[in-house]
Amino acid sequence: MKILMVEDNKSVSEMMSMFFQKDGWDAHYAYDGEEAVAMFKDDPDSWDMITLDLNLPKKDGLQVNTEIRQISKTVPIIILTARDSESDQVLGLEMGADDYIVKPFSPLTLMAKIKALHRRAETPALKTQVTQNEDVDNFDVQTEHFKLNSKTREAFLFDKEIMDLTPKEFDLLKTLAQKPRQVFSREQLLQLVWDYEYYGDERTVDAHIKKLRQKIEKVGPKVIQTVWGVGYKFDDSEVK
């Protein structure tokens, strides 16, 4: 894995470098926001993971996150921040980050999140390696008004494509839609979509649901519904 750690505190970078080296990862470090964007722009497709501090000199971490997302909608981003307010964390997720962790943090916790996120990011890449002989119109999730193709990473509602889905948004939509009307708790979605049970935060799910709904509702009605006190479900059985 080639990882870019954007962190102005060199002691944190030095600490994590030992863990990255132990796992054989190719780690690179940026110590301010401008340097981070420049490094990413230099070869966007080469990066497998980004950890991004919010409190950075020269360019704020949220701005860095936005600029990276304008270049790549798929590179996984984990926010590292000393800011412990819910608004900062949710804002980062809504701006395209995949997860966050609050400082001070355990290196083992960060490593677990990185590995889980990387496993999920690798799966879509394998699925999209289809040959010319494969039937890419074979939708593996279909309901009355919705269909989804895991090989092409495309989803349609009323035959209109739901555009610009990030890998996590696509996986979240697939998880819900392949079992219509079943209610999933936030804990279940963390385990199924983010691939971890003990290192997640329910706000991660809520922020991704919000963004996913916004993209779905550009082409059709609200099909992801909140079941208060329980979680979320996909239901297009009564929409028109």
Side-chain angles (χ1 to χ4, degrees):
M1 191 193 317
K2 184 178 180 182
I3 183 169
L4 173 60
M5 185 170 205
V6 187
E7 171 60 64
D8 66 329
N9 188 331
K10 291 190 177 182
S11 63
V12 174
S13 298
E14 291 171 356
M15 173 186 67
M16 290 308 305
S17 68
M18 295 185 291
F19 289 86
F20 296 153
Q21 185 177 7
K22 182 179 179 181
D23 277 44
W25 297 350
D26 181 16
H28 300 253
Y29 304 91
Y31 300 102
D32 63 65
E34 289 183 357
E35 183 183 15
V37 173
M39 290 176 66
F40 185 78
K41 283 183 175 179
D42 187 55
D43 191 5
D45 294 332
S46 70
W47 301 103
D48 298 305
M49 182 72 56
I50 296 176
T51 67
L52 176 61
D53 187 28
L54 288 188
N55 296 314
L56 294 171
K58 297 187 180 180
K59 189 172 288 188
D60 183 84
L62 290 177
Q63 186 178 353
V64 173
N65 182 83
T66 298
E67 293 187 31
I68 288 176
R69 274 290 171 252
Q70 290 172 346
I71 301 169
S72 172
K73 296 186 182 298
T74 59
V75 62
I77 300 175
I78 298 177
I79 290 177
L80 309 179
T81 178
R83 304 177 185 177
D84 57 0
S85 72
E86 181 176 351
S87 59
D88 284 326
Q89 297 155 3
V90 172
L91 181 60
L93 294 171
E94 290 182 350
M95 293 177 69
D98 295 281
D99 208 342
Y100 73 89
I101 186 168
V102 177
K103 296 179 179 178
F105 60 86
S106 161
L108 294 178
T109 299
L110 177 57
M111 293 295 288
K113 284 201 172 194
I114 291 173
K115 290 176 181 178
L117 193 55
H118 185 56
R119 283 195 297 270
R120 283 287 178 175
E122 279 190 314
T123 302
L126 294 173
K127 289 182 178 178
T128 53
Q129 296 175 6
V130 296
T131 67
Q132 292 181 346
N133 294 327
E134 286 183 296
D135 182 11
V136 295
D137 292 326
N138 182 24
F139 296 99
D140 49 316
V141 177
Q142 282 188 278
T143 64
E144 185 174 356
H145 305 294
F146 174 83
K147 53 189 177 182
L148 177 148
N149 189 322
S150 295
K151 293 178 180 177
T152 62
R153 306 290 287 181
E154 294 175 315
F156 300 84
L157 183 62
F158 287 97
D159 292 321
K160 296 179 181 179
E161 185 175 0
I162 303 169
M163 301 297 294
D164 299 324
L165 293 175
T166 67
K168 276 288 174 288
E169 290 165 356
F170 185 91
D171 292 340
L172 182 57
L173 178 57
K174 180 180 177 181
T175 299
L176 292 167
Q178 63 189 358
K179 294 186 177 180
R181 303 180 70 182
Q182 176 175 323
V183 180
F184 291 86
S185 69
R186 292 169 178 83
E187 292 83 358
Q188 287 175 315
L189 291 173
L190 278 171
Q191 187 172 9
L192 292 169
V193 178
W194 279 262
D195 200 22
Y196 49 73
E197 184 174 7
Y198 302 107
Y199 299 105
D201 190 301
E202 293 181 0
R203 287 169 292 191
T204 302
V205 177
D206 294 338
H208 280 78
I209 287 285
K210 181 179 179 180
K211 293 292 288 186
L212 178 57
R213 279 174 168 164
Q214 290 172 350
K215 294 178 181 180
I216 291 174
E217 289 166 27
K218 288 181 179 180
V219 301
K222 181 183 293 186
V223 293
I224 295 181
Q225 301 173 7
T226 301
V227 180
W228 296 107
V230 184
Y232 299 100
K233 68 176 181 178
F234 178 97
D235 187 1
D236 67 342
S237 61
E238 298 183 2
V239 300
K240 296 181 181 179

